[in-house]
Amino acid sequence: MSEMKQQATRAALAVFVLLAWTTAAAQQQLEVQTIAETEETVRTASGATETRRVPAGRVIPGDKVHYTVSFTNVGAESADDVVVTNPIDPSLTYVTGSASGADMTVEFSVDGGTSFGGADSLVVRDEQGDRPAQPDDYTHIRWTLDGELDAGTTGVARFAATVN
């Protein structure tokens, strides 16, 4: 198998094994689902073109994958301290500015999920010394809900990454 084909296969697998997890307290009453999508451009019956998202299938280096992490409070009471953490597979690079979530604080990790901070505050050390972290340094994304998640309510967190 060629090196490019092997990379594409690894990237496709990364798309489907990317999982989110929640804090221990919230795990008791949250169901979490992650979907991965790519965009395709199609021509409509009128001849116009439109872009739509479709489930990610085979991806190749350079493709952008859009992730949607939904979390539903299936418990009988409100959930507080809801934190959703998603690793970024090494075969992917986070797309700057793509992480979002209503009423959520978004932070990143460059050390395997040990510590988190805002994108502007992260520093990595390389051969030349300390430097500001770049999106390809990110190992995890963390969303912290700014309030409670009522029983029966679903929250949504999103981000995009490019296949290396």
Side-chain angles (χ1 to χ4, degrees):
M1 184 181 297
S2 74
E3 178 61 27
M4 185 148 172
K5 204 176 231 183
Q6 287 176 343
Q7 287 176 342
T9 301
R10 283 193 301 270
L13 289 172
V15 166
F16 294 106
V17 300
L18 192 64
L19 301 173
W21 67 85
T22 59
T23 59
Q27 284 178 350
Q28 300 296 320
Q29 59 190 38
L30 291 184
E31 286 183 357
V32 180
Q33 178 184 17
T34 302
I35 62 167
E37 299 173 301
T38 55
E39 291 182 340
E40 70 177 13
T41 302
V42 295
R43 189 167 301 281
T44 64
S46 66
T49 59
E50 68 179 35
T51 301
R52 63 181 178 198
R53 291 198 180 158
V54 296
R58 183 181 178 137
V59 295
I60 59 172
D63 284 352
K64 185 190 294 185
V65 181
H66 300 267
Y67 293 93
T68 302
V69 182
S70 61
F71 47 98
T72 302
N73 181 350
V74 296
E77 299 178 8
S78 293
D80 58 356
D81 299 323
V82 174
V83 178
V84 176
T85 304
N86 211 115
I88 301 172
D89 191 88
S91 67
L92 301 170
T93 297
Y94 170 75
V95 174
T96 301
S98 66
S100 65
D103 301 318
M104 289 186 237
T105 300
V106 179
E107 296 177 296
F108 303 91
S109 176
V110 295
D111 61 8
T114 301
S115 62
F116 287 85
D120 295 341
S121 69
L122 297 174
V123 175
V124 294
R125 177 164 287 169
D126 60 17
E127 305 82 43
Q128 286 79 37
D130 289 348
R131 64 171 174 78
Q134 301 299 310
D136 59 345
D137 296 315
Y138 299 168
T139 61
H140 292 74
I141 304 173
R142 179 172 75 184
W143 295 266
T144 303
L145 190 62
D146 296 333
E148 293 184 342
L149 185 65
D150 292 334
T153 303
T154 298
V156 177
R158 292 186 170 86
F159 76 100
T162 304
V163 178
N164 297 332

